């Protein structure tokens, strides 16, 4: 197992994902992630020298919209599943900073 | 001896584009809609929704790139920038990291120190985030996604600026170019133009760069200048004390004129970019670039030259009028109506600028119409009202965009040229000011000016000044 996920890495990934993990959850995540990386290692066995990175499999480009407003008031649908709402907006725990 | 330090500054400028719709959906970008009324599954990141790029965004970005001497990237793509924050319903922002639409440009700026070119590293297209309103009393925030998905371009400069003065010159030039292109209104106070300042200091002449900080929350040119001075002083103080500058993002508080570091947990700059799988690449042909180039409007330098040749304006007037798109548009529209370019120029350069200063307003906050300005010019020029009255009425045009012609009629402000009325007023002034009358008769020519003034005052500024002068000389 070349891919040992350290405690710091799990802590850091938790911060990025805004997740608070219990000790057992951290251990489980460490194990899962090591396995995922081991799978990726299999792909790394391929020689990709000189191969252009690909982000799309279809040879399609330049798909555009014209700049014309066709959407109407979408607030009802947008807020339909909001757990809490106030003054036409989503109500969330106070978030300060930027 | 204390060391001499040099400030090294680069800017990241975000500009909201003036499209009618958002970058990836057909929702309106109009300001002032009730919360979340300009939203759809795409701009609220609903599962299964797919973005489709607004062609106008690409064209505005190309136009700005061409006007700032950038190379246009022929094959460009979008990337996902991942972060969690309630203003971002997708949990990622679609932006461009690897192949931004414009690169390697630059614009020339001029300051007291002379002319120089500030390089533009790149310009990329991206989407804006929603807006959080924090409740004053309860521990909650309200999220409005009307701004989510509004198109932005981010213009990243090279670290070529050395003073607040150069930064302001660069921003003013950039703003003017973008306003002329009609690509954005670039209002700092309303957030349609936002500048983040990257700043470091080093010993003058050094070849290395010092550690830089990034300053956010700068809402005016004055705040930017103060933040630069403040951050320069803070970093020099640290170095003089033998301490280190920490690379961090700082939030400027313009009321307190200090900055504080934004918590590093929120600021974890690990965005795990990857190519955006929902959008296909944009391929830009030579023909497309040529088309956009051929549609570029008249820019400032050309306009300045034309104002001098076509309208016969002095270079000074042409410089001021073209220095702000609002002035230039107002000037051209009002001149078109009344046909008196120099008079229109004077009303903008003197009275309008004075009233803007007095009211603490920027030119783009001008509310009056070119029609009403043209009317004032004509009414004053034809002598329908005196200059004094015209200036007073213009204040109302400036503040409330009243129709000056109707107002003058309604309030009886037309110039009084009725000889009987004027003669009576002049006679009374002569009776009440024997000393001045005697001075005048003893050869003090200046005394007549005082008497004219007194008569104008008695007539509330409405007296025909030529006739008052003539009557005074006749009666004395
Ligand atoms: Zn939308």
């Amino acid at each position: 197992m070349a891919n040992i996920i350290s405690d710091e890495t799990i802590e850091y990934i938790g911060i990025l994902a805004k997740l608070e993990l219990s000790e057992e959850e951290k251990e489980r995540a460490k194990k899962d992630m090591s396995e995922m990386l081991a799978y990726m290692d299999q792909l790394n066995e391929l020689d990709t020298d000189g191969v252009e990175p690909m982000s799309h499999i279809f040879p399609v480009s330049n798909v555009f919209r014209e700049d014309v407003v066709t959407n109407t008031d979408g607030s009802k649908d947008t807020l339909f599943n909001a757990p809490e709402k106030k003054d036409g907006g989503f109500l969330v725990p106070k978030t300060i900073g930027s | 001896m204390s060391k001499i330090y040099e400030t090294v500054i680069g800017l990241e400028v975000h500009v909201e584009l003036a499209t009618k719709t958002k970058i990836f959906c057909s929702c309106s970008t109009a300001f002032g809609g009730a919360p979340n009324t300009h939203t759809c599954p795409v701009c609220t990141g609903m599962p299964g929704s797919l973005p489709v790029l607004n062609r106008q965004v690409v064209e505005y970005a190309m136009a700005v790139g061409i006007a700032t001497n950038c190379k246009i990237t022929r094959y460009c793509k979008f990337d996902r920038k991942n972060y969690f924050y309630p203003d971002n319903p997708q949990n990622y922002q679609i932006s461009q990291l690897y192949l931004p639409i414009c690169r390697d440009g630059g614009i020339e700026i001029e300051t007291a120190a002379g002319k120089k070119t500030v390089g533009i590293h790149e310009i990329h297209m991206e989407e804006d985030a929603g807006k959080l309103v924090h409740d004053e009393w309860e521990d909650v925030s309200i999220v409005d996604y009307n701004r989510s998905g509004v198109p932005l371009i981010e213009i990243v400069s090279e670290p070529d600026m050395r003073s607040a003065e150069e930064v302001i010159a660069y921003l003013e030039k950039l703003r003017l170019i973008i306003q002329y292109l009609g690509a954005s209104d670039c209002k700092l106070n309303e957030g349609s133009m936002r500048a983040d300042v990257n700043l470091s200091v080093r010993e003058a002449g050094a070849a290395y760069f010092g550690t830089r900080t990034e300053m956010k929350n700068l809402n005016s040119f004055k705040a930017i200048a103060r933040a630069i001075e403040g951050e320069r002083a803070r970093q020099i103080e640290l170095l003089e004390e033998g301490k280190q500058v920490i690379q961090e993002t700082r939030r400027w508080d313009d009321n307190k004129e200090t900055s504080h570091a934004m918590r590093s947990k929120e600021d974890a700059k690990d965005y795990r970019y990857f190519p955006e799988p929902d959008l296909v690449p944009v391929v830009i042909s030579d023909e497309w670039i040529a088309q956009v180039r051929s549609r570029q409007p008249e820019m400032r330098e050309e306009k300045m030259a034309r104002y001098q040749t076509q309208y016969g304006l002095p270079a000074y007037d042409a410089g001021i009028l073209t220095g702000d798109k609002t002035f230039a548009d107002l000037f051209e529209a009002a001149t078109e109506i009344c046909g008196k370019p120099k008079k229109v120029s004077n009303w903008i350069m003197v009275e309008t600028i004075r009233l803007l200063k007095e009211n603490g307003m920027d030119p783009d906050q001008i509310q009056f119409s070119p029609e009403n300005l043209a009317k004032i010019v004509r009414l004053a020029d034809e002598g329908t009202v005196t200059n004094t009255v015209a200036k007073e009425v213009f204040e109302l045009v400036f503040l409330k965009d009243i129709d000056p012609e109707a107002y003058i009629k309604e309030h009886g402000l037309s110039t009084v040229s009725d000889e009987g009325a004027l003669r009576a007023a002049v006679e009374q002034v002569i009776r009440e000011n024997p000393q001045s009358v005697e001075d005048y008769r003893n050869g003090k020519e200046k005394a007549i000016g005082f008497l004219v003034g007194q008569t104008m005052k008695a007539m509330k500024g409405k007296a025909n000044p030529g006739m008052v002068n003539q009557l005074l000389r006749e009666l004395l």
Side-chain angles (χ1 to χ4, degrees):
Chain A
M1 281 257 294
N3 301 292
I4 309 237
I5 306 282
S6 68
D7 290 339
E8 290 79 43
T9 304
I10 281 293
E11 189 68 38
Y12 180 62
I13 291 171
I15 288 170
L16 288 178
K18 305 256 190 265
L19 290 175
E20 265 178 59
L21 301 174
S22 69
E23 285 311 311
E24 296 99 88
E25 284 169 329
K26 278 183 194 167
E27 286 310 311
R28 211 161 64 223
K30 273 160 76 172
K31 186 169 164 288
D32 286 350
M33 284 180 163
S34 307
E35 282 168 12
M36 284 179 222
L37 290 179
Y39 176 61
M40 291 298 153
D41 279 346
Q42 268 185 33
L43 294 176
N44 277 341
E45 286 168 16
L46 276 173
D47 181 6
T48 55
D49 278 356
V51 178
E52 280 276 309
M54 183 184 70
S55 51
H56 294 89
I57 53 166
F58 301 113
V60 178
S61 62
N62 292 8
V63 176
F64 298 119
R65 297 178 6 253
E66 295 308 313
D67 187 25
V68 179
V69 179
T70 53
N71 289 347
T72 50
D73 182 354
S75 57
K76 216 176 143 199
D77 284 345
T78 293
L79 289 159
F80 189 78
N81 287 318
E84 283 187 272
K85 45 196 147 184
K86 190 184 178 190
D87 303 335
F90 290 83
L91 197 63
V92 299
K94 191 162 199 161
T95 326
I96 289 283
S98 55
Chain B
M1 272 305 284
S2 63
K3 295 173 188 156
I4 295 170
Y5 290 94
E6 180 179 53
T7 320
V8 176
I9 308 164
L11 293 187
E12 288 166 22
V13 178
H14 285 90
V15 172
E16 242 177 43
L17 297 177
T19 53
K20 296 182 189 73
T21 63
K22 294 185 178 182
I23 182 167
F24 300 123
C25 63
S26 302
C27 288
S28 168
T29 55
F31 261 105
N36 293 301
T37 49
H38 302 163
T39 59
C40 74
V42 172
C43 56
T44 52
M46 295 294 173
S49 63
L50 283 172
V52 185
L53 181 57
N54 183 341
R55 180 196 301 271
Q56 186 63 53
V57 172
V58 182
E59 298 209 342
Y60 276 147
M62 281 163 71
V64 175
I66 291 168
T68 54
N69 311 301
C70 289
K71 293 190 188 104
I72 306 296
T73 310
R74 303 312 170 97
Y75 180 82
C76 78
K77 289 195 294 195
F78 285 91
D79 302 290
R80 260 186 210 190
K81 177 180 180 178
N82 298 280
Y83 72 94
F84 290 96
Y85 202 72
D87 65 3
N88 165 17
Q90 299 169 134
N91 297 331
Y92 55 82
Q93 178 194 33
I94 302 179
S95 180
Q96 295 191 291
L97 179 70
Y98 301 109
L99 293 166
I101 185 161
C102 313
R103 282 187 286 209
D104 298 330
I107 54 176
E108 192 179 64
I109 60 165
E110 192 170 1
T111 63
K115 284 185 181 179
K116 76 185 271 185
T117 299
V118 175
I120 289 175
H121 181 73
E122 67 169 64
I123 300 177
H124 60 255
M125 302 176 279
E126 60 186 28
E127 55 181 338
D128 206 350
K131 204 177 121 200
L132 292 171
V133 181
H134 305 298
D135 194 294
E136 295 264 351
W137 311 105
E138 289 172 70
D139 251 3
V140 294
S141 298
I142 294 163
V143 197
D144 171 10
Y145 291 121
N146 281 352
R147 304 316 290 162
S148 172
V150 167
L152 301 174
I153 49 172
E154 181 176 343
I155 304 157
V156 183
S157 84
E158 299 291 351
D160 287 345
M161 288 158 277
R162 296 290 175 268
S163 65
E165 200 196 356
E166 287 183 2
V167 168
I168 303 300
Y170 168 77
L171 282 170
E172 282 181 339
K173 182 84 181 257
L174 200 58
R175 182 172 67 166
L176 205 56
I177 290 171
I178 298 170
Q179 286 175 342
Y180 267 87
L181 291 169
S184 172
D185 56 11
C186 292
K187 293 185 181 181
L188 270 105
N189 55 343
E190 287 178 10
S192 58
M193 186 181 202
R194 299 162 226 164
D196 299 337
V197 173
N198 288 297
L199 185 150
S200 63
V201 296
R202 64 180 173 191
E203 272 186 65
Y208 65 90
F209 285 118
T211 307
R212 70 186 153 86
T213 59
E214 182 181 356
M215 192 84 64
K216 285 186 180 291
N217 194 38
L218 304 166
N219 305 321
S220 67
F221 284 149
K222 282 182 187 131
I224 291 167
R226 280 191 288 265
I228 288 170
E229 294 308 327
E231 183 58 12
R232 171 187 154 86
R234 191 189 70 87
Q235 289 189 14
I236 290 174
E237 202 178 303
L238 283 172
L239 297 179
E240 291 279 308
E241 288 169 358
K243 294 178 186 161
Q244 299 267 318
V245 174
I246 300 165
Q247 183 164 349
E248 62 192 357
T249 303
R250 301 179 66 84
R251 188 179 167 82
W252 177 252
D253 183 334
D254 201 45
N255 293 321
K256 293 182 192 152
E257 294 201 24
T258 57
S259 63
H260 61 84
M262 284 161 65
R263 274 178 298 158
S264 60
K265 200 172 167 179
E266 285 170 10
D267 190 35
K269 280 205 168 166
D270 186 342
Y271 295 123
R272 293 144 291 142
Y273 280 94
F274 62 85
E276 169 57 55
D278 287 344
L279 288 162
V280 296
V282 177
V283 178
I284 299 171
S285 63
D286 289 347
E287 292 73 38
W288 196 4
I289 295 175
Q291 247 176 46
V292 172
R293 195 186 288 279
S294 73
R295 286 200 301 261
Q296 298 284 79
E298 183 184 42
M299 301 301 277
R300 187 191 185 188
E301 284 71 20
E302 302 157 71
K303 229 185 235 306
M304 259 177 88
R306 181 167 66 85
Y307 282 12
Q308 293 171 67
T309 51
Q310 182 184 341
Y311 299 119
L313 289 187
Y316 178 76
D317 290 43
I320 290 188
L321 294 175
T322 57
D324 192 288
K325 180 77 170 15
T326 314
F327 288 158
D329 289 346
L330 185 62
F331 166 76
E332 288 181 31
T335 300
E336 176 78 29
I337 299 165
C338 70
K340 300 181 192 310
K342 179 57 184 152
K343 294 265 158 58
V344 172
S345 168
N346 289 350
W347 278 95
I348 294 174
M349 293 205 315
V350 183
E351 290 305 307
T352 306
I353 289 179
R354 177 179 69 80
L355 288 166
L356 284 171
K357 270 193 193 133
E358 276 180 23
N359 291 283
M361 287 160 64
D362 289 324
D364 58 20
Q365 289 170 284
I366 285 176
Q367 286 162 14
F368 62 85
S369 63
E371 287 77 18
N372 286 335
L373 172 61
K375 278 185 184 174
I376 278 284
V377 170
R378 193 169 41 73
L379 291 164
D381 196 52
E382 288 169 354
T384 309
V385 289
T386 61
N387 267 328
T388 318
V389 171
K391 281 179 193 172
E392 282 170 19
V393 175
F394 180 67
E395 287 207 28
L396 295 170
V397 171
F398 180 89
L399 293 170
K400 299 175 195 160
D401 196 26
I402 58 153
D403 176 348
E405 206 160 23
Y407 186 86
I408 284 161
K409 204 173 269 176
E410 194 181 322
H411 293 80
L413 296 174
S414 297
T415 304
V416 175
S417 302
D418 172 52
E419 200 183 321
L422 290 179
R423 188 177 287 270
V426 168
E427 280 170 352
Q428 189 170 350
V429 166
I430 288 174
R431 269 199 305 280
E432 285 168 1
N433 296 281
Q435 186 59 51
S436 300
V437 171
E438 200 182 321
D439 287 349
Y440 175 72
R441 287 184 176 140
N442 290 335
K444 270 197 187 166
E445 185 62 26
K446 268 188 189 164
I448 200 154
F450 175 76
L451 294 168
V452 171
Q454 288 301 303
T455 313
M456 291 302 282
K457 202 171 153 191
M459 297 290 296
K460 298 196 171 75
K462 293 187 290 179
N464 180 326
M467 285 180 69
V468 169
N469 218 304
Q470 207 182 344
L471 280 165
L472 270 168
R473 286 178 197 278
E474 183 189 315
L475 292 169
L476 284 170

